[in-house]
Amino acid sequence: MKSAMRWMQKTAAAATIAAFGVTGSYAQAPTGEPIKVGILHSLSGTMAISETTLKDAMLMLIDEQNKKGGVLGRPLEAVVVDPASDWPLFAEKARELISQNDVAAVFGCWTSVSRKSVLPVFKELNSILFYPVQYEGEESERNVFYTGAAPNQQAIPAVDYLMDEGVKRWVLEGTDYVYPRTTNKILEQYLKDKGVAAEDIIVNYTPFGFSDWQTEVSRIKEFGSAGKKTAVVSTVNGDANVPFYKELANQGVAATDIPVVAFSVGEEELAGIDTGPLVGHLAAWNYFQSVDTPENEEFIAKWHEFIGNDERVTNDPMEAHYIGFNMWVKAVEKAGTTDADAVIDALPGIEQANLTGGTSKMLPNHHITKPVLIGEINDEGQFDVVSETDDLVPGDAWSDFLPESKKLEADWVDLKCGNYDTEAKKCLGDAATSN
Amino acid sequence: MNRAIPWLLLSLAVLLFGPGPAAAQQAEADPAAIVQKFGGKQSFDATEAVIAELAATGDERVARALRALRDGDLYWRESDEAVFVATRKGGDYEIFDPITGASAGTVPSGDLQKVRVKNSIRNAVTGALGTLTLRADNPAQRMRAASTLFSEADPEMIGPLDAAIAAEEDAAVKARMEEARASAVLASDLPAEDKAAAAKVLAGRADRESLTMLIRFAGATDDPVARQAAEAAIVAIQNNIAFWNQMQNVWYGLSLGSVLLLAAIGLAITFGVMGVINMAHGEMVMLGAYTTFVVQEFIRNNAPGLFEWSLAIALPLAFLVSGAVGLVMERGLIRFLYGRPLETLLATFGVSLILQQAVRTIFGPSNRQVGNPDWMSGAFDVGLMSVTWNRLWIIVFALVVFLALLAVLNRTPLGLQMRAVTQNRRMAAAMGIRTPWVDAMTFALGSGIAGIAGVALSQIDNVSPNLGQSYIIDSFLVVVFGGVGNLWGTLVGAMSLGVVNKFLEPYAGAVLGKIVVLVLIILFIQKRPRGLFAQKGRFVDA
């Protein structure tokens, strides 16, 4: 860790020297006009439960960077706004950050609908957004860098793992909105390609904040009593998870009988439940707090110190911000300016050590390479890693398992296009941007 | 899992080909030595191999280590890779010998590494324990072993099961063992008569698992007698399941209805009786839930022994907290807005946002953990339907709250004054009733009831600042549907909405089901604008 830290500082210092042609100690307090960094996470409303933590994580990262000498010798200044879980307000606040506060980059959004809401603003004003949450894919924009997982970095490996464990019957359970619907469409196609019969898959959706899971859970139980090993793939979002798991536990659905693998349940969500009855249920992420590396240990220690509470957990989107922020810092140092065009061109190819022992790389399609970890919930509200991909998996913007997106490719370095049609050999451009 | 099968078969084979002599032959295969093989970093496959080896000893003493492994209590010491069962003791671990269970002192947690497990390992352990504990002293263990063997349906186990059945004295365990034997017989190549008899045993069990086994058997067998027996059994079981599915829908409906009743009953007072459109009603429920959280935190830190009583302690406190907030709201805001419903709506909506953000600032935005006392956890079976204790208690609780509120309204001086004021304010004032005081008390009562609803809802839902929002719409729905100003209407409205919702859900799905219910209510309100139980009287026209 120490060495990685020193290496990073050295790189930062080297870049500073290269940029300014001056010599001096790298730990010098940054001077000059601050570089502003926008933080666009909901601090009130329904999404505050997840997004507030990310705001704090960003403040910590910016604080750290300033202690290390800022960027380009200038200090960083965080500009925090509250879009209040209100999708149109996200666009307004993004505009405020870029045009009034003049931020160099924005770190933010959680739900896909909030990202879709701010997209036109970032394109129009030509700024940079780092998006830290796992999402449904089917998108690649010049102004957005996706540091969370694409479906092939989370959903597909999780299903592969369960297949190895002998699962033959699948319940795809999700909240009724774009991320679960797209992910389940991809998974359903993937399962069918793998030879799973249609009657061995059920797909079910529930509304946001659903709390009465009795019927759904008994249906899962019934579906699972057909003599074949059954698993639930859950894209249930946010608050609805706690009553779901409570009902599973109460109706005695143990992970050894019907495991539930979740894509939206992390350490933060488990903090609200007694995990005793949930031991063995699974989650697929690119990071777990329990991962035993020196980088992670240091990150957790810093987080506890910053937030002043040893009980607070770290989670996957926090790591995504950690990677994204450091990549941005390196790109700015490389470009020697915070100008959006220069930084966007500098970002692909940038490498950054992640917290699980590997080195993530920004790809030309604006996604990053990540390891995929499968963890089982333990009785301390943490995850025990039971499976890990051998190599880092590159994020795929356009799923290979959907007929309409199979032929599409995103490449902002050579093709300068987010949705290049490899069959028609042309860039579809904005006209074809999905929804 | 796949990888587990060869090892299990191996272990079973060893068990079968001489359960008695095997122990003698393998006298040198000391279980204590094998258990030590769990030590050190190793792959899951290696762990499974050790489990199979332990199962192969046929020695009941290994059950302790296996159970500890399954429950995640098996550790190895970093210094010498020695294996122990460990339990947390403060910051340290107390360690025990994995075979004898003798204490071996305490060690700091940093010295121990957990033996890694995953679901397939747990299943392998359960399988191994099933064969090992079929003759255990504890009937509950034998019961579990029989249940495991039932789902495994392994023909190789018929012999051991026969022996166990012959020795079994507990009737319930014996019945379960016979079912396990029947499932194994169906999977074996025994003669058709045996299978027909086994089909009959499974038909008696009449649940979904036996249905699956019978269907598979009926499809595979060539023998007409056995197939006929199986098919008759299948029809009987299917009828049984269909009946219990309907029962289950009714039960789930009542349970959902009781939650709606709890959420709405306070609103039936503030909105139904007083006519105040209180958008902050959900936040009163939330405050009750947070009161439960604070009470539980206090108990956890100061008097852990009282945890089972935490909900009983939280009830009056939640009533007081929410009631007090309601009182302040009425005195400080709502009383200036009587007769101006739109302003009331906006003002109370503002209050709801203020309360939400206040709670978010004090307790943080994330969910708070409210534990379930033991008597609220788990489930029991009625026929093919599993009834969870928390839902059962919430139904009982909702009815008790309802009856208590009814008694307050109809049997106490305060209730009399409330009814007098709401029916004819000026006449009541002329009779010497302090109407402002009655207004304040009525609003406080409604809010307090919402608070105790929060205590109950904390058991099944998230305790987060958003808790109230998810109930406010449903609450208004119930009160309007049931008939404004009528408590019985609220009861019947809540229960019928719950049951209709739950009958629609299996067919239409949760999303569509809810929409259908909303459409039905709109149509109903068109027909009967005053709801199920329309209030009669002068104030209705006012």
Side-chain angles (χ1 to χ4, degrees):
Chain A
M1 182 64 235
K2 273 276 153 49
S3 67
M5 208 72 243
R6 218 172 290 139
W7 175 82
M8 255 167 54
Q9 288 172 337
K10 265 188 200 157
T11 337
T16 317
I17 293 163
F20 287 95
V22 292
T23 52
S25 137
Y26 57 76
Q28 207 172 37
T31 52
E33 200 193 336
I35 298 173
K36 288 184 181 170
V37 177
I39 302 175
L40 184 66
H41 283 302
S42 301
L43 310 179
S44 54
T46 49
M47 292 311 296
I49 179 173
S50 306
E51 293 192 62
T52 310
T53 314
L54 289 187
K55 184 257 312 179
D56 290 331
M58 276 311 297
L59 290 180
M60 174 182 88
L61 290 168
I62 290 170
D63 188 48
E64 284 292 314
Q65 190 62 33
N66 279 335
K67 281 188 196 147
K68 282 189 273 176
V71 177
L72 302 176
R74 288 159 64 187
L76 295 176
E77 183 189 320
V79 184
V80 180
V81 291
D82 177 15
S85 314
D86 176 359
W87 320 136
L89 195 58
F90 265 90
E92 282 174 40
K93 290 289 175 187
R95 188 174 291 277
E96 179 187 318
L97 280 175
I98 303 166
S99 48
Q100 286 177 29
N101 291 307
D102 223 8
V103 298
V106 176
F107 292 79
C109 296
W110 182 288
T111 58
S112 286
V113 47
S114 66
R115 187 189 69 252
K116 297 274 187 203
S117 153
V118 300
L119 264 183
V121 179
F122 278 89
K123 277 186 186 168
E124 180 197 329
L125 302 174
N126 192 24
S127 186
I128 304 173
L129 170 69
F130 281 86
Y131 177 67
V133 183
Q134 96 283 7
Y135 84 121
E136 67 279 4
E138 306 302 295
E139 187 182 297
S140 175
E141 293 288 343
R142 179 172 178 271
N143 301 86
V144 184
F145 291 87
Y146 307 83
T147 51
N152 74 317
Q153 290 173 308
Q154 190 185 27
I156 301 271
V159 167
D160 283 341
Y161 169 78
L162 287 174
M163 279 186 165
D164 283 348
E165 294 283 298
V167 172
K168 300 267 187 274
R169 245 165 118 80
W170 304 83
V171 181
L172 308 182
E173 183 79 49
T175 301
D176 200 7
Y177 75 110
V178 55
Y179 165 66
R181 283 206 177 254
T182 316
T183 307
N184 285 343
K185 210 158 83 181
I186 294 172
L187 285 181
E188 209 179 340
Q189 191 55 49
Y190 182 73
L191 288 171
K192 283 179 181 161
D193 290 352
K194 289 269 174 176
V196 177
E199 74 261 18
D200 282 337
I201 305 174
I202 53 171
V203 187
N204 189 36
Y205 294 101
T206 50
F208 266 103
F210 194 61
S211 62
D212 193 332
W213 286 91
Q214 302 180 86
T215 311
E216 271 66 26
V217 169
S218 68
R219 192 148 148 229
I220 290 169
K221 255 170 102 173
E222 191 177 339
F223 188 73
S225 66
K228 289 183 187 168
K229 177 96 178 152
T230 306
V232 179
V233 178
S234 156
T235 38
V236 173
N237 189 272
D239 279 2
N241 276 302
V242 175
F244 179 42
Y245 281 109
K246 277 190 179 172
E247 190 65 38
L248 282 172
N250 271 330
Q251 291 203 23
V253 178
T256 42
D257 308 324
I258 304 179
V260 177
V261 57
F263 303 147
S264 307
V265 175
E267 291 85 350
E268 190 90 357
E269 284 73 17
L270 290 183
I273 342 180
D274 168 22
T275 54
L278 304 183
V279 169
H281 286 306
L282 303 139
W285 289 106
N286 311 106
Y287 166 84
F288 286 114
Q289 183 177 355
S290 62
V291 169
D292 191 15
T293 62
E295 290 91 343
N296 191 27
E297 207 173 300
E298 184 174 333
F299 181 76
I300 295 169
K302 276 187 190 155
W303 169 244
H304 285 164
E305 192 193 323
F306 180 83
I307 208 78
N309 178 356
D310 285 354
E311 305 278 296
R312 287 291 292 272
V313 292
T314 57
N315 63 15
D316 180 273
M318 282 170 73
E319 194 224 12
H321 259 340
Y322 168 86
I323 298 171
F325 176 77
N326 282 304
M327 283 182 166
W328 175 78
V329 168
K330 285 180 187 174
V332 170
E333 302 278 8
K334 184 175 155 197
T337 164
T338 59
D339 176 63
D341 285 329
V343 176
I344 288 174
D345 288 341
L347 266 164
I350 296 270
E351 292 189 345
Q352 165 63 36
N354 56 35
L355 297 177
T356 50
T359 302
S360 288
K361 183 176 172 183
M362 180 61 74
L363 302 168
N365 64 2
H366 287 190
H367 291 63
I368 67 174
T369 59
K370 301 188 123 196
V372 184
L373 313 176
I374 315 282
E376 278 187 3
I377 297 174
N378 66 22
D379 50 9
E380 283 154 15
Q382 292 285 338
F383 291 88
D384 293 332
V385 177
V386 292
S387 166
E388 186 176 356
T389 48
D390 298 332
D391 289 315
L392 271 58
V393 180
D396 186 13
W398 300 97
S399 173
D400 295 340
F401 302 100
L402 291 179
E404 63 272 23
S405 72
K406 202 151 67 180
K407 57 186 186 210
L408 295 181
E409 197 185 320
D411 184 344
W412 291 103
V413 174
D414 297 324
L415 300 170
K416 306 268 179 219
C417 179
N419 49 2
Y420 184 81
D421 189 330
T422 49
E423 282 168 13
K425 303 254 181 257
K426 65 166 189 188
C427 184
L428 299 178
D430 277 356
T433 306
S434 61
N435 44 77
Chain B
M1 194 54 215
N2 283 336
R3 272 167 266 142
I5 289 166
W7 285 109
L8 272 179
L9 285 182
L10 180 76
S11 63
L12 290 176
V14 173
L15 263 183
L16 276 176
F17 296 115
Q25 278 166 18
Q26 302 203 342
E28 65 271 67
D30 177 19
I34 303 176
V35 166
Q36 293 305 323
K37 291 188 189 170
F38 283 123
K41 260 199 168 56
Q42 56 181 331
S43 69
F44 288 121
D45 289 352
T47 309
E48 257 177 46
V50 181
I51 295 171
E53 213 174 319
L54 279 177
T57 61
D59 191 328
E60 252 183 58
R61 288 178 301 163
V62 305
R64 181 193 307 277
L66 285 177
R67 236 173 266 131
L69 174 66
R70 182 182 60 192
D71 300 340
D73 292 331
L74 200 64
Y75 292 79
W76 50 277
R77 190 155 57 197
E78 278 191 347
S79 51
D80 57 357
E81 300 197 348
V83 174
F84 297 98
V85 177
T87 51
R88 198 177 266 282
K89 204 179 182 190
D92 298 339
Y93 282 97
E94 180 163 15
I95 54 176
F96 305 91
D97 185 276
I99 294 292
T100 63
S103 175
T106 52
V107 293
S109 58
D111 289 4
L112 291 179
Q113 287 278 347
K114 196 183 264 190
V115 180
R116 293 166 66 220
V117 284
K118 60 175 183 174
N119 288 328
S120 55
I121 300 273
R122 291 190 194 95
N123 279 329
V125 170
T126 309
L129 283 175
T131 54
L132 283 174
T133 56
L134 200 53
R135 307 289 285 274
D137 292 335
N138 182 348
Q141 277 183 23
R142 294 197 302 270
M143 190 72 143
R144 265 202 301 276
S147 301
T148 311
L149 291 177
F150 175 79
S151 8
E152 283 183 0
D154 184 350
E156 311 243 340
M157 287 310 293
I158 296 174
L161 273 168
D162 277 336
I165 290 169
E168 186 58 58
E169 280 161 7
D170 189 315
V173 178
K174 193 168 190 168
R176 184 63 57 87
M177 285 177 174
E178 270 162 3
E179 286 162 7
R181 184 180 180 280
S183 83
V185 167
L186 280 193
S188 70
D189 39 16
L190 285 171
E193 307 84 83
D194 286 347
K195 289 190 177 176
K200 221 170 261 164
V201 173
L202 287 186
R205 187 178 153 109
D207 65 350
R208 293 189 182 90
E209 270 185 312
S210 33
L211 178 66
T212 315
M213 284 177 188
L214 283 170
I215 289 177
R216 200 180 301 155
F217 167 68
T221 181
D222 310 321
D223 184 81
V225 182
R227 184 184 302 154
Q228 221 164 19
E231 273 165 1
I234 289 171
V235 172
I237 296 178
Q238 274 169 341
N239 286 339
N240 193 30
I241 288 178
F243 169 74
W244 282 107
N245 274 348
Q246 298 305 321
M247 291 300 289
Q248 182 162 293
N249 281 342
V250 173
W251 168 254
Y252 288 167
L254 291 179
S255 149
L256 176 63
S258 68
V259 170
L260 291 175
L261 177 64
L262 272 176
I265 198 165
L267 198 71
I269 302 286
T270 51
F271 174 59
V273 176
M274 295 178 73
V276 174
I277 300 181
N278 180 15
M279 295 301 284
H281 175 71
E283 277 56 49
M284 301 297 161
V285 177
M286 173 196 63
L287 287 179
Y290 270 93
T291 310
T292 318
F293 164 70
V294 172
V295 166
Q296 284 201 348
E297 276 302 284
F298 185 81
I299 287 178
R300 273 202 193 103
N301 294 334
N302 297 301
L306 282 177
F307 188 79
E308 294 292 302
W309 294 94
S310 58
L311 295 186
I313 299 169
L315 275 181
L317 290 172
F319 182 82
L320 289 179
V321 168
S322 294
V325 173
L327 190 67
V328 170
M329 247 177 94
E330 203 278 340
R331 285 290 88 187
L333 183 73
I334 292 173
R335 68 174 168 137
F336 303 111
L337 300 171
Y338 281 127
R340 289 152 65 188
L342 281 182
E343 281 92 331
T344 317
L345 189 150
L346 289 178
T348 51
F349 183 61
V351 171
S352 90
L353 291 182
I354 293 171
L355 286 175
Q356 269 181 45
Q357 202 61 23
V359 167
R360 196 170 280 135
T361 314
I362 299 170
F363 293 99
S366 39
N367 287 338
R368 288 299 166 167
Q369 184 179 337
V370 172
N372 298 40
D374 283 342
W375 50 273
M376 287 284 280
S377 315
F380 61 95
D381 287 335
V382 180
L384 292 185
M385 177 173 97
S386 79
V387 173
T388 50
W389 280 108
N390 61 353
R391 298 283 176 174
L392 180 65
W393 283 120
I394 284 174
I395 292 181
V396 171
F397 181 68
L399 292 177
V400 168
V401 171
F402 174 79
L403 292 176
L405 195 58
L406 212 56
V408 168
L409 281 186
N410 292 333
R411 300 256 184 271
T412 63
L414 177 67
L416 184 67
Q417 293 181 352
M418 274 180 202
R419 283 179 294 143
V421 170
T422 48
Q423 279 169 20
N424 193 322
R425 178 174 297 271
R426 275 193 291 174
M427 182 71 87
M431 300 293 285
I433 295 174
R434 291 161 57 202
T435 57
W437 181 82
V438 172
D439 285 338
M441 282 301 125
T442 313
F443 199 85
L445 175 69
S447 304
I449 298 282
I452 60 177
V455 177
L457 295 185
S458 73
Q459 292 297 305
I460 52 169
D461 209 338
N462 295 293
V463 179
S464 78
N466 308 327
L467 170 71
Q469 278 182 326
S470 42
Y471 288 102
I472 184 76
I473 304 290
D474 286 340
S475 306
F476 272 106
L477 219 59
V478 166
V479 175
V480 173
F481 176 64
V484 173
N486 190 317
L487 273 189
W488 285 102
T490 308
L491 174 72
V492 176
M495 289 303 171
S496 41
L497 280 187
V499 172
V500 169
N501 208 329
K502 283 298 168 187
F503 266 92
L504 284 173
E505 218 176 281
Y507 308 106
V511 182
L512 205 59
K514 198 146 192 189
I515 296 174
V516 171
V517 167
L518 273 175
V519 171
L520 287 179
I521 288 182
I522 292 171
L523 292 177
F524 180 81
I525 297 288
Q526 292 293 319
K527 207 76 194 138
R528 295 191 61 157
R530 293 192 195 289
L532 276 179
F533 295 79
Q535 186 84 338
K536 294 179 193 73
R538 206 171 307 181
F539 99 110
V540 174
D541 308 315

